[in-house]
Amino acid sequence: MSPATGAVTEALGELHARYADVGDGELADYIPQLALADPDDFGLALVSMDGHRYSAGDADVPFTAQSVSKPFVYALALSLLGLDEVSRWVNAEPSGEAFNGISLERTTGRPANAMVNAGAIVTTALIPHTPGTPRFTRILDCLSRFAGRSLDVDEQVYASESFTGDRNRALAYLIRSTGPLPVDPVAAVETYFRQCAVRVTALDLAAMAATLAHGGVNPLTGEQVVSEAVAAQVLAVMATCGMYDSSGAWLLRVGLPAKSGVSGGLIAAGPARFGVAAYSPPLDTTGTSVRGRLAIGELSRRLGLHLMRNPALAASTVTLVTTAGDLPTAPAAGHERAAHEDVAVVAAQGALDFTAAERVLHALDEAGPEGTGAVLDLVRVTGIGGVARAMLRDGLVRLTADGLRTAVADPDGLLRRPGHEDGDPRIFATREEAVDWCLGRGGGGSGPPARPGPPPSGP
Ligand code: GLN
């Protein structure tokens, strides 16, 4: 029993109940085995960044990944070859065409993107094939790492697509005829069919999407499957191309990177939030699961998950902009009081990113430059990203260069770095110690030897 998180399960259950009776859509039958799917199967699954799994309905029913495999094989190609090399062979422009369209650049034969069949076949062809490690072994291993368990191939679906897959073969021949490819897309088509026939469940797909959302780290196994940079690149292409000729409308209304497949699987990822997946075989005219589209669209609306709506802006970062004269510890009057009033104090809280760091620096500018010192209080800061750290250090160094004594209350050493450079801010465990140092009293904290006043100039 999980009474508290039962709310999440219940939300998925409600979505499931709401759309279970929708009878629209057709099963894909151009791959004969897919027409044997049960149109009533309907599963929803969500995996959080902490690896918590939630589901409703048929989230354990196996089906073949089909095109939902494409972003993950693209991730493998990017990991092995890098974005520049992969982009020479597969572009990243929305094609505005159906998944099986002839989406090739006129002069070069380069496919529009890796989410349409043409681009996916070339992407598969880019995966190295060596006697020791065949191409498909690398692909299956990668998909399994994304899912957090060993996946296998539905041989019947593979054989069925291989038997009827002339359109994809024709695409591969066309690509070979127009483009100077480093590899043979015709030979790669069979591998592409096998990759599409890899068997998954909605829970597997949610874990795979969650791995992309989690900077490439599988939240179930903790394994770094691809780099953070590659995960972001894949999500970007999913956002612009993952829903084929309905990608623009999907991004507009749902606002999540997503990928659909003709077996009825659909994934979406909320970066740094969750991975979600739906399985329901009846498809709309774009080859997307009808119930999947409805359920994930509604989930995004209900939970306010649209990417372009950024709730981070609402959080307050700077909790205090004042001078040491206004702190309870300041003397009531006299020369000492005036000295306190010349020391600016800015306190911040929470996790600091670029936006938060800009606010903190602005507050320091507001409070600091006319005085003799500035204290930045990070006691309630929970974390600092690399960019924010560099910005804060730079801002403090600039204040120091302006002639201020600058000190940081930073008990967790968030701004500390190995070795000290000239002008680095002094770091103290408490705000009081930092203020004392700015007033020219107390211990030196960590950093270079105390050097009151501006640095000596001239030779
Ligand atoms: N294997 C399928 C095909 O190539 C995948 C298409 C899809 O899922 N959209 O036709």
Side-chain angles (χ1 to χ4, degrees):
M1 279 286 283
S2 324
T5 52
V8 182
T9 308
E10 208 172 286
L12 285 184
E14 270 171 32
L15 287 176
H16 187 272
R18 179 160 173 182
Y19 298 115
D21 293 335
V22 172
D24 302 343
E26 303 290 333
L27 298 180
D29 57 7
Y30 74 99
I31 300 172
Q33 277 287 317
L34 294 186
L36 304 180
D38 183 344
D40 292 333
D41 277 350
F42 182 25
L44 294 173
L46 185 147
V47 172
S48 76
M49 297 297 86
D50 300 318
H52 304 145
R53 305 181 342 141
Y54 303 94
S55 63
D58 304 310
D60 280 324
V61 170
F63 57 96
T64 54
Q66 298 301 331
S67 286
V68 182
S69 63
K70 291 170 181 173
F72 303 100
V73 177
Y74 186 51
L76 177 59
L78 291 171
S79 296
L80 295 172
L81 305 172
L83 180 58
D84 288 343
E85 180 63 17
V86 172
S87 299
R88 289 174 64 201
W89 313 112
V90 187
N91 203 355
E93 289 302 333
S95 69
E97 293 179 298
F99 68 89
N100 57 5
I102 305 171
S103 307
L104 307 176
E105 278 175 3
R106 217 164 268 256
T107 48
T108 62
R110 183 172 64 154
N113 64 70
M115 302 296 112
V116 293
N117 287 7
I121 292 167
V122 170
T123 305
T124 298
L126 288 172
I127 306 300
H129 181 76
T130 48
T133 321
R135 179 175 292 133
F136 185 68
T137 304
R138 292 179 203 263
I139 290 175
L140 186 62
D141 177 65
C142 177
L143 294 175
S144 298
R145 286 167 197 267
F146 269 109
R149 73 177 183 97
S150 275
L151 302 176
D152 64 2
V153 172
D154 184 325
E155 294 294 343
Q156 284 178 311
V157 174
Y158 161 68
S160 181
E161 180 162 20
S162 177
F163 190 64
T164 55
D166 284 344
R167 188 178 173 95
N168 282 323
R169 272 190 204 98
L171 266 177
Y173 278 107
L174 201 57
I175 295 164
R176 193 169 67 181
S177 75
T178 51
L181 276 174
V183 284
D184 185 354
V186 174
V189 163
E190 292 304 317
T191 309
Y192 166 76
F193 291 152
R194 283 190 85 72
Q195 133 196 350
C196 288
V198 168
R199 211 178 338 227
V200 290
T201 66
L203 270 163
D204 289 327
L205 289 187
M208 295 170 83
T211 301
L212 290 177
H214 195 228
V217 176
N218 183 317
L220 303 178
T221 63
E223 186 188 356
Q224 183 95 46
V225 181
V226 293
S227 70
E228 196 201 347
V230 163
Q233 288 157 3
V234 174
L235 289 174
V237 174
M238 283 168 65
T240 51
C241 310
M243 301 292 277
Y244 312 121
D245 43 341
S246 66
S247 295
W250 173 271
L251 188 60
L252 175 65
R253 290 171 184 279
V254 182
L256 294 171
K259 186 74 208 74
S260 60
V262 287
S263 52
L266 174 61
I267 57 170
R273 292 171 162 175
F274 62 87
V276 65
Y279 170 57
S280 167
L283 307 177
D284 63 19
T285 51
T286 70
T288 299
S289 167
V290 171
R291 293 192 195 109
R293 182 192 286 275
L294 290 169
I296 293 180
E298 181 61 17
L299 179 82
S300 170
R301 275 183 291 278
R302 267 198 212 178
L303 306 184
L305 303 172
H306 198 297
L307 264 191
M308 306 305 169
R309 301 177 62 176
N310 193 339
L313 285 177
S316 69
T317 305
V318 176
T319 54
L320 186 69
V321 185
T322 187
T323 71
D326 277 338
L327 299 178
T329 44
H335 171 74
E336 271 290 285
R337 161 119 204 142
H340 276 69
E341 276 166 4
D342 277 340
V343 174
V345 177
V346 168
Q349 69 175 7
L352 305 188
D353 59 2
F354 164 81
T355 314
E358 186 275 338
R359 285 176 167 165
V360 171
L361 294 177
H362 186 81
L364 281 167
D365 274 346
E366 231 169 53
E370 276 79 52
T372 57
V375 168
L376 175 59
D377 179 351
L378 301 178
V379 171
R380 290 175 61 193
V381 166
T382 52
I384 302 190
V387 171
R389 182 180 296 120
M391 284 170 72
L392 292 183
R393 279 202 195 114
D394 180 64
L396 291 164
V397 166
R398 283 165 187 271
L399 288 175
T400 308
D402 252 19
L404 264 67
R405 285 169 74 92
T406 55
V408 188
D410 180 14
D412 299 329
L414 297 170
L415 278 199
R416 205 186 292 275
R417 61 173 153 196
H420 295 284
E421 283 178 27
D422 245 14
D424 264 1
R426 305 217 141 242
I427 295 186
F428 296 88
T430 65
R431 182 198 290 174
E432 291 67 33
E433 289 172 80
V435 168
D436 274 351
W437 188 78
C438 284
L439 290 164
R441 325 186 292 209
S446 64
R451 189 178 53 197
S457 56

